[in-house]
Amino acid sequence: MGGHLGRRVVAGVSGSLGSLTALHRAAAEARVRGAELWAVLAWEAPGGDIPHRGGPCPPSLIAAWRRMASERLDEALDTAFGGDGPGVPLQRLVAPGKPGKVLLAAADRSDDLLVIGAGARGRLRRALWPSVSRYCVARASCTVLTVPPSPLYQALAAVHRRNVWKLPFNTRELAE
């Protein structure tokens, strides 16, 4: 997947708050290293890999899924950096496949730096959803930097839980 021969910082992007935090860190690392930033978004067809195994799937549908993934990457980059961009050379990559495999294929050189969000760390979440960061750390041939969730993420998650459970909100907590 790599065509450019310079130094690269590859960042996994999904549009989540954790991936945006990792994308900011990747841009900072690219600035420090004088490297090119690769923003990578992996996408899978609804229902898994069935269309790619020869099942009936119109090419126009696959093109629509690819276009939606590309729009999601553009939206994530705009959310992260606005119109100014990251301040380093940027390559966008949207590829079909499992996120871990796509990221490892993009960061395929030993001098690459792969930056990904560490994600949530709860036992239940780990049991139900496999961790892309763990997959990459275990299998990468390059250095992997896992970025923990922003402290803001914890506060937003707490507010979300309050809303879901319809708990009263005490405004005095904001002053503390």
Side-chain angles (χ1 to χ4, degrees):
M1 282 192 184
H4 189 270
L5 296 177
R7 301 182 78 180
R8 300 184 306 177
V9 175
V10 179
V13 180
S14 67
S16 69
L17 185 58
S19 78
L20 295 178
T21 303
L23 187 57
H24 274 277
R25 179 62 186 267
E29 289 292 331
R31 266 186 238 101
V32 168
R33 297 165 182 258
E36 187 174 47
L37 175 62
W38 281 46
V40 179
L41 185 135
W43 65 274
E44 292 183 280
D49 211 14
I50 295 169
H52 299 290
R53 288 191 225 148
C57 186
S60 62
L61 195 53
I62 293 173
W65 291 331
R66 177 172 281 130
R67 186 180 64 253
M68 286 188 296
S70 181
E71 288 170 0
R72 190 170 69 182
L73 177 60
D74 290 341
E75 187 177 306
L77 290 169
D78 188 47
T79 300
F81 303 118
D84 297 337
V88 294
L90 174 68
Q91 292 290 326
R92 294 171 169 86
L93 176 63
V94 176
K98 300 268 184 208
K101 289 183 179 185
V102 169
L103 289 171
L104 292 183
D108 59 351
R109 301 192 313 233
S110 62
D111 65 337
D112 287 341
L113 173 64
L114 176 59
V115 181
I116 49 179
R121 296 188 181 100
R123 287 184 184 180
L124 179 63
R125 191 171 292 262
R126 271 198 312 250
L128 295 176
W129 294 283
S131 171
V132 174
S133 59
R134 286 175 183 251
Y135 180 89
C136 291
V137 167
R139 293 169 178 82
S141 61
C142 65
T143 304
V144 179
L145 175 62
T146 57
V147 179
S150 165
L152 178 60
Y153 178 79
Q154 303 299 332
L156 288 174
V159 169
H160 179 70
R161 280 192 302 275
R162 280 183 187 275
N163 290 340
V164 167
W165 293 101
K166 298 183 182 357
L167 297 173
F169 186 68
N170 186 352
T171 56
R172 280 184 258 150
E173 292 177 12
L174 295 175
E176 294 175 357

